[in-house]
Amino acid sequence: MDHSIATPERRPARTASPDAPPPSYRRAYGALDLGTNNCRLLIARPAADGFVIIDAFSRIVRLGEGLAGSGRLSDDAVDRAVAALAVCSDKLRRRHVHLAHSVATEACRRAENGQEFVEHVRRKTGIALDIISAEEEARLAVMGCHALLEEGEGPALIFDIGGGSTELILIDTSHAMPRTLDWYSAPWGVVSLTEIEPCDFATEAGRLDAYARMRARVLDSFLPFSSRLPDNARKGGRLLGTSGTVTTLASVHLGLSSYDRSAVDGLLVPAPAMRDISLRLASMAFADRVALPCIGPERADLVVAGCAILEAIMDIFPASRLGVADRGIREGILRTLMARDGHMQ
């Protein structure tokens, strides 16, 4: 559901001049995505060619840490998430956000205490989280990033590697708006896969064996989807990824000293290069991954699982190159909210 954000104080209304844009075009909209690993917020205003971002926030909270074993969100994970959401709540108020939609995904879908967590967040921060389905998560991801797909014929695959799940969406782009042909949510993301298949062994051989087990586990989970792929999709096609995994690997590919969204968003990377980087990272010791500028300590323990999931995706959907999107669910939410107010045609 959508949530209007009430501001405690408002300045007296002023009469707009005849040349001023309609008041609705000055409205700010908010999109919050609380995933298994990250808490991310975008605040934007409508513009002639889409929207303009006026504020943003991102923090790794690891909400799903330990969930695979306990079935519950831990107290520490809840505290981290609430602290991040309190920052988001403050931003929504200070930016006088007209309308916001705050969603939670796989960790809250899976946790026994997911609904209890949602109520706790509402009491502590005022944010009303909507635990969305995997299907809605996939739809929003497509809405947010499909514009970056290469032009071409035949079905295309958009994927989102999350913390607790991976969404695969096969789409038809022969119309103005993409049409979903098939979709699938696999139960493995970078957090859940890392917890079930530890990969940081003392020897390179041990690490590569663990990586092979990761890939095999993910491939097995993809079988219901891959078996349904039409013949023209099995031969490969256009592939677009929206996740921290693909943006991180793209940064490594470019040799960036620090993350640069403008360099990464919309990048096309040869598939063999992505496979080479994935195998190299999987073979490295944890300390060596930490030393890489665009990985660091926050991603070093999870990036190998992301690589395994990415390679499994490229196994079932061969492509000559991979499109990289630093956009997805939040942008999909913003487009949905603005369209309802008549700003997106």
Side-chain angles (χ1 to χ4, degrees):
M1 68 185 133
D2 303 326
H3 312 288
S4 295
I5 305 297
T7 53
E9 296 180 354
R10 294 187 185 275
R11 296 178 180 177
R14 294 183 296 176
T15 301
S17 69
D19 297 328
S24 64
Y25 275 87
R26 293 197 295 269
R27 289 173 175 170
Y29 294 78
L32 191 154
D33 172 19
L34 179 64
T36 303
N37 196 43
N38 291 285
C39 175
R40 294 174 291 189
L41 170 72
L42 280 184
I43 300 175
R45 288 195 178 101
D49 57 350
F51 53 79
V52 175
I53 296 170
I54 59 174
D55 207 344
F57 174 79
S58 179
R59 180 181 294 176
I60 292 177
V61 296
R62 304 206 175 193
L63 180 62
E65 187 174 62
L67 177 61
S70 69
R72 296 179 59 83
L73 305 176
S74 71
D75 291 344
D76 287 346
V78 167
D79 289 345
R80 290 193 298 267
V82 168
L85 290 167
V87 176
C88 295
S89 180
D90 183 59
K91 284 181 176 289
L92 289 167
R93 290 190 183 94
R94 285 192 292 107
R95 292 292 185 176
H96 303 287
V97 169
H98 157 67
L99 196 63
H101 191 187
S102 304
V103 304
T105 55
E106 183 67 13
C108 288
R109 287 196 294 263
R110 190 180 299 182
E112 295 173 7
N113 58 338
Q115 196 58 52
E116 178 186 327
F117 168 72
V118 166
E119 291 302 315
H120 179 66
V121 166
R122 185 186 59 78
R123 290 194 303 269
K124 290 289 187 179
T125 70
I127 290 175
L129 287 170
D130 181 10
I131 303 176
I132 59 174
S133 67
E135 183 175 11
E136 175 66 3
E137 184 178 355
R139 186 191 72 83
L140 289 171
V142 170
M143 280 197 67
C145 72
H146 71 87
L148 293 180
L149 266 171
E150 291 184 86
E151 291 186 5
E153 296 181 355
L157 185 70
I158 294 178
F159 64 89
D160 184 359
I161 302 173
S165 65
T166 293
E167 275 61 55
L168 306 171
I169 313 103
L170 189 70
I171 65 171
D172 170 18
T173 60
S174 60
H175 304 281
M177 286 298 292
R179 182 171 64 91
T180 298
L181 300 173
D182 197 1
W183 73 278
Y184 184 68
S185 181
W188 301 115
V190 296
V191 175
S192 54
L193 184 58
T194 299
E195 290 186 350
I196 205 73
E197 289 284 2
C199 60
D200 281 315
F201 291 89
T203 66
E204 181 176 321
R207 293 190 290 270
L208 290 176
D209 284 347
Y211 184 63
R213 290 193 296 273
M214 281 182 166
R215 285 185 59 184
R217 185 181 290 271
V218 176
L219 270 173
D220 185 62
S221 74
F222 285 170
L223 279 175
F225 177 76
S226 60
S227 64
R228 299 196 301 262
L229 287 173
D231 289 341
N232 58 344
R234 293 176 191 277
K235 298 173 183 177
R238 293 165 293 156
L239 190 60
L240 178 66
T242 166
S243 70
T245 293
V246 292
T247 56
T248 297
L249 268 59
S251 300
V252 174
H253 171 70
L254 293 174
L256 300 180
S257 57
S258 61
Y259 185 71
D260 181 355
R261 183 182 187 275
S262 64
V264 169
D265 187 48
L267 184 69
L268 290 169
V269 182
M274 278 299 206
R275 287 191 183 273
D276 289 346
I277 293 168
S278 295
L279 189 59
R280 177 159 63 92
L281 292 176
S283 69
M284 294 170 69
F286 175 78
D288 294 327
R289 296 196 301 273
V290 168
L292 292 174
C294 289
I295 295 180
E298 286 193 327
R299 295 187 179 276
D301 59 336
L302 302 179
V303 70
V304 174
C307 292
I309 296 169
L310 175 61
E311 285 218 74
I313 292 169
M314 292 191 291
D315 286 343
I316 67 166
F317 197 88
S320 60
R321 50 189 183 175
L322 171 67
V324 179
D326 185 358
R327 59 181 80 181
I329 291 174
R330 293 170 301 164
E331 289 80 1
I333 290 171
L334 289 173
R335 290 185 177 279
T336 300
L337 294 180
M338 292 179 189
R340 290 175 187 173
D341 277 357
H343 300 305
M344 297 279 179
Q345 300 301 324

